[in-house]
Amino acid sequence: MLTISHLSKTYPGGKTAVRDLSFSVQPGEIFGFIGHNGAGKSTTLRAAAGILPFEAGQITIGGFDIQRQPVQAKSITAFLPDNPDLYEFLTGIRFLNFVADLYNIPSDLRTQRIAQYGDMFEMTSALGSAISSYSHGMKQKLALISALMRQPQLLILDEPFVGLDPKASHLLKQQLQQLCSQGGSVLFSTHVLEVAEKLCHRIGVIRQGQLVACGPTAELVGTSSLEEVFLELEGEGEGK
């Protein structure tokens, strides 16, 4: 579903955020991406989503090259950044209809999906209010609804559980599993290692812009915990 091959990204000023990074996410798979702040997680996700240019490597989604075929690749992808910027002058329902218009979701389907996800995340009663009146958690839920209602083939999420209450976090986990059971794929970054260990089929660990470990969660963790594996890998990096 997603293939990242030899991705490199250097920002103005010379800082290299990602260096020769390669991994893939298969259909029906939840792939967890973990690493310290500044390791290159968000840069990788934004490049995969097609909103951050890069100077080396190739990214394909569903066989479409994100640089040469951006419209086709983005049409089957939904991206949720760690701090979604929403149009706060709009009401929740107008924002969702705006997103539905962008992706040509028919009126009957959008009505059904907005009602489904609005009720699920307990947002229906708030959709008539301006987004500017929402709490951080409510904005996060609205952004999630806007992504899920598109029923994408690939869902890319940057720290999706930050700001969500326990019930909403549980519902999101269920939705990610359901998407994958229908053949979709999920790539998400997180600092919550317990969530990654329980939810992900495979995990990649990034350090200083390079992948230092990648594989099935059970094999990567072995008889220890993901936290222990992560700290051990970070310790090896500090010792170099």
Side-chain angles (χ1 to χ4, degrees), residues 13-195:
K15 175 179 169 54
T16 299
V18 177
R19 183 183 292 107
D20 196 29
L21 183 71
S22 298
F23 67 89
S24 62
V25 182
Q26 304 303 316
E29 180 175 66
I30 300 177
F31 188 100
F33 203 40
I34 65 175
H36 276 313
N37 290 336
K41 300 188 304 298
S42 293
T43 294
T44 303
L45 299 190
R46 291 166 67 86
I51 62 174
L52 184 68
F54 52 92
E55 51 278 341
Q58 182 184 43
I59 297 176
T60 59
I61 297 173
F64 298 112
D65 188 293
I66 194 66
Q67 290 181 309
R68 292 184 297 150
Q69 301 163 294
V71 174
Q72 294 94 324
K74 292 177 183 180
S75 69
I76 59 174
T77 307
F79 171 59
L80 189 66
D82 57 345
N83 189 22
D85 288 322
L86 307 175
Y87 297 115
E88 300 210 350
F89 60 89
L90 292 177
T91 61
I93 190 66
R94 289 198 174 194
F95 174 75
L96 294 177
N97 276 303
F98 168 69
V99 173
D101 286 340
L102 283 176
Y103 291 94
N104 299 312
I105 301 176
S107 58
D108 56 337
L109 275 182
R110 76 174 63 177
T111 299
Q112 172 192 331
R113 292 174 186 174
I114 289 173
Q116 174 189 350
Y117 293 116
D119 289 346
M120 180 183 299
F121 287 99
E122 300 180 341
M123 283 289 294
T124 299
S125 62
L127 292 181
S129 301
I131 296 173
S132 59
S133 69
Y134 287 7
S135 67
H136 174 73
M138 293 171 70
K139 291 176 183 176
Q140 186 80 351
K141 289 179 182 179
L142 184 69
L144 281 171
I145 293 170
S146 72
L148 291 171
M149 74 176 188
R150 290 176 45 207
Q151 298 189 348
Q153 293 181 36
L154 173 65
L155 187 56
I156 302 174
L157 307 166
D158 196 355
E159 296 289 348
F161 298 100
V162 174
L164 292 182
D165 57 66
K167 183 177 180 180
S169 294
H170 178 69
L171 288 169
L172 175 56
K173 293 171 193 174
Q174 288 183 323
Q175 289 305 304
L176 299 185
Q177 291 170 329
Q178 182 174 336
L179 175 67
C180 289
S181 71
Q182 296 169 345
S185 303
V186 176
L187 167 64
F188 79 96
S189 70
T190 183
H191 284 117
V192 187
L193 300 183
E194 295 86 354
V195 170

